[in-house]
């Protein structure tokens, strides 16, 4: 049995990852370290609490003592804890640097102190956003692991600083640090400030969907289960010091995505509310994941559209109680301020 520390396990990707580790892999024991920020929700892990292979610690990765005690006895770290929403990093940058940059350094240092030398694997869950933005004009160009790191939002810059620290801990101390850079995730339990659950739940409430700018920004959409499988493949078959891009060749403009959601929900284009573009909005992300295919034997399997999107929309339809609770209170205030619409 391997004891794995998962940070940020009460969030969207972390909770799906933990559920997969417990249900599809008998050999993992999971310790979930999560501060339970606005997007951390233990309801995302309903059903896991009773599993003897699961335990939860409420705590902050950027606190050295918390990090040190959480990693005690662990055989590996999957580090996902982060402030994750670009819009929030525009209105309030500081928490991103604390959680994403200082938090990553604190956890790396705790792991170094505990392990000494090369030690056991530390997988840092980064993002394709660290590569910055691609122009729309060259659709054949995609990010590889060797593309320059030129992040353009505070979110991606604070994550990229984590990439650099992870690399530095490998280079300087010889630690077994591995990095994944995945594209945009969709699936169950995503906090409804992110575009897919935001649009679906707005439509269920009879509200319009706020589409940024001209809607032509392109993202590569991957199912959260494929991301989780990629993280586990990196843990099981990845190599120290290596970076693995994880994507699904499923590039869609926000406009196309919006039209697909409207179609699935059976509503008209009049439900689109065009809002001012996000500051510094990256135009296109596209990712070449051939290295992960070659070296990890991984490829996206559950991400194909329209099927994957339809199933995800259905999940939000079937789990109204979950998102209605999440979407109350402070969420409403933030949403109205962000989009200037009620
Ligand atoms: N969502 C995506 O499309 C995507 C794509 C690629 C990579 N990622 C990365 O995956 C990770 C998880 O993203 P997500 O979408 O699940 O985000 P999320 O916001 O849903 O979850 C983040 C979790 O981290 C916890 N957290 C935040 N700060 C913490 C701290 N200081 N200490 C402990 N816990 C803390 C939160 O409480 C929450 O449970 C992030 O590192 C993100 O950068 C996300």
């Amino acid at each position: 049995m391997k004891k794995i520390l998962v940070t940020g396990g009460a969030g969207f990707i972390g909770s799906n990852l933990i559920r997969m580790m417990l249900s599809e892999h008998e050999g993992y024991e999971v310790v979930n370290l999560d501060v339970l920020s606005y997007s951390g929700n233990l309801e995302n892990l309903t059903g896991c609490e009773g599993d003897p292979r699961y335990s939860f610690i409420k705590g902050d990765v950027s606190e050295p003592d918390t990090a040190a005690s959480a990693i005690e006895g662990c055989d590996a770290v999957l580090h996902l804890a982060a402030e994750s929403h670009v819009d929030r990093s525009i209105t309030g940058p500081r928490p991103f640097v604390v959680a994403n940059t200082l938090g990553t350094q604190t956890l790396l240092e705790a792991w170094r102190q505990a392990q000494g030398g090369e030690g056991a694997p530390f997988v840092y869950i980064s993002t394709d956003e660290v590569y910055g933005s691609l122009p729309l004009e060259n659709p054949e160009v995609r990010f590889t692991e060797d593309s320059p790191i030129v992040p353009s939002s505070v979110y991606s810059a604070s994550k990229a600083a984590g990439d650099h620290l992870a690399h530095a801990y490998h280079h300087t101390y010889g630690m077994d640090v591995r990095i994944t850079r995945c594209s945009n995730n969709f699936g169950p339990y995503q906090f409804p400030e992110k575009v897919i659950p935001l649009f679906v739940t707005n439509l269920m409430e009879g509200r319009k969907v706020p589409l940024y700018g001209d809607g032509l920004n392109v993202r590569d959409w991957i199912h959260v289960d494929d991301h989780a499988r990629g993280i586990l493949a990196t843990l099981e078959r990845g190599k120290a010091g290596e970076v693995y891009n994880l994507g699904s060749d499923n590039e869609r403009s926000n406009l196309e995505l919006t039209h697909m959601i409207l179609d699935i929900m059976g509503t008209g284009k009049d439900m689109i509310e065009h809002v001012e573009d996000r500051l510094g909005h990256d135009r296109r992300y596209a990712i070449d994941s051939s290295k992960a295919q070659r070296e990890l034997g991984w490829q996206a399997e559950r991400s194909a559209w329209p099927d994957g999107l339809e199933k995800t929309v259905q999940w939000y339809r079937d789990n109204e109680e979950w998102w209605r609770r999440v979407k109350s209170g402070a969420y409403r205030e933030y949403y109205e301020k962000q989009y200037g619409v009620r």
Side-chain angles (χ1 to χ4, degrees), residues 182 234 303-304:
C182 189
T234 303
S303 300

Side-chain angles (χ1 to χ4, degrees), residues 8-151:
F12 163 48
I13 299 169
S15 60
N16 280 287
L17 172 66
I18 290 175
R19 191 168 295 103
M20 179 179 283
M21 290 172 80
L22 295 175
S23 63
E24 295 181 22
H25 300 262
E26 284 178 0
Y28 291 134
E29 182 185 337
V30 177
V31 179
N32 173 14
L33 171 64
D34 196 301
V35 77
L36 299 182
S37 74
Y38 77 93
S39 66
N41 180 357
L42 290 177
E43 278 188 40
N44 298 356
L45 288 156
T46 303
C48 298
E49 318 89 332
D51 193 317
R53 292 184 294 135
Y54 172 75
S55 58
F56 172 66
I57 301 169
K58 183 176 184 314
D60 188 332
V61 288
S62 64
E63 295 285 337
D65 291 346
T66 306
S69 72
I71 61 175
E72 250 172 58
C74 288
D75 299 301
V77 175
L78 302 177
H79 176 38
L80 291 89
E83 286 289 331
S84 67
H85 192 39
V86 175
D87 287 341
R88 287 179 188 258
S89 79
I90 295 169
T91 49
R94 188 178 162 80
F96 285 74
V97 179
V98 175
N100 302 359
T101 306
L102 182 62
T104 299
Q105 187 275 330
T106 306
L107 199 62
L108 282 164
E109 183 58 24
W111 196 237
R112 180 173 86 87
Q113 297 287 346
Q115 297 280 318
E118 187 181 317
F122 181 113
V123 184
Y124 173 59
I125 313 309
S126 189
T127 161
D128 64 349
E129 301 193 27
V130 299
Y131 296 120
S133 182
L134 290 169
L136 289 182
E137 294 72 35
N138 269 340
E140 71 286 352
V141 178
R142 297 186 295 169
F143 299 126
T144 71
E145 289 80 358
D146 296 325
S147 297
I149 303 290
V150 276

Side-chain angles (χ1 to χ4, degrees), residues 43 316-327:
E43 278 188 40
Y316 290 97
R317 284 177 140 162
D318 293 342
N319 289 274
E320 199 166 334
E321 235 179 86
W322 175 86
W323 64 257
R324 282 207 185 270
R325 257 199 302 281
V326 173
K327 243 181 146 177

